[in-house]
């Protein structure tokens, strides 16, 4: 089993920045960790993903150039640096971990989420 705990959400004005953290615990091998978000009335969407063993990352087109995913393996923590935030970035942000291959959409482990609100 893997436990994921997100932190770092909050209220920020448009153009501001936040850094989300996802701390993982457990002994299960994880191949990749992703960030997802869900806005009110909308479906959950992919934001970014990072491989556990390489430096490979991927970001959704909607956040490219503004958000950056990174990891600190010594701390078992994955980060999402969010800059130039827009009101449309308002959502609950979830961290998720997967044991599947890079291209698989399956994530077995999910955190509880952290609220990000961007005011206009």
């Amino acid at each position: 089993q893997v436990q994921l705990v997100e932190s770092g959400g909050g209220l920020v004005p448009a153009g501001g920045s936040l850094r989300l953290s996802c701390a993982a615990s457990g002994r299960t091998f994880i191949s990749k960790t992703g960030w997802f978000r869900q806005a009110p009335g909308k479906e959950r969407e992919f934001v970014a993903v990072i491989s556990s063993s390489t430096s490979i990352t991927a970001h959704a087109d909607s956040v490219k150039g503004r958000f950056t995913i990174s990891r600190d393996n010594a701390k078992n923590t994955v980060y999402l640096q969010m800059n130039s935030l827009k009101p449309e970035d308002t959502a609950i942000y979830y961290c998720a971990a997967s044991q599947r291959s890079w291209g698989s959409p399956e994530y077995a482990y999910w955190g509880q989420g952290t609220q990000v609100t961007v005011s206009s």
Side-chain angles (χ1 to χ4, degrees):
Q1 289 291 327
V2 176
Q3 291 77 44
L4 303 172
V5 178
E6 302 100 331
S7 61
L11 173 64
V12 62
S17 298
L18 282 175
R19 188 178 78 158
L20 305 183
S21 299
C22 173
S25 61
R27 296 184 176 183
T28 302
F29 169 75
I30 294 299
S31 60
K32 58 185 180 180
T33 303
W35 284 98
F36 295 77
R37 67 186 182 185
Q38 187 166 21
K42 295 186 177 181
E43 294 187 353
R44 185 172 61 199
E45 65 174 352
F46 164 79
V47 175
V49 61
I50 187 166
S51 168
S52 298
S53 57
T54 70
S55 298
I56 296 175
T57 63
H59 297 76
D61 288 344
S62 59
V63 306
K64 279 182 181 176
R66 300 188 299 122
F67 292 9
T68 303
I69 191 170
S70 63
R71 58 179 168 80
D72 184 336
N73 285 343
K75 295 182 178 180
N76 289 328
T77 301
V78 171
Y79 303 98
L80 185 68
Q81 178 66 43
M82 305 186 296
N83 299 328
S84 302
L85 282 161
K86 305 175 181 179
E88 50 263 44
D89 293 319
T90 295
I92 299 174
Y93 283 71
Y94 297 92
C95 173
S98 174
Q99 298 174 288
R100 301 297 187 182
S101 63
W102 182 251
S104 171
E106 297 182 25
Y107 286 79
Y109 307 101
W110 292 82
Q112 294 299 307
T114 184
Q115 176 71 48
V116 172
T117 303
V118 184
S119 61
S120 57

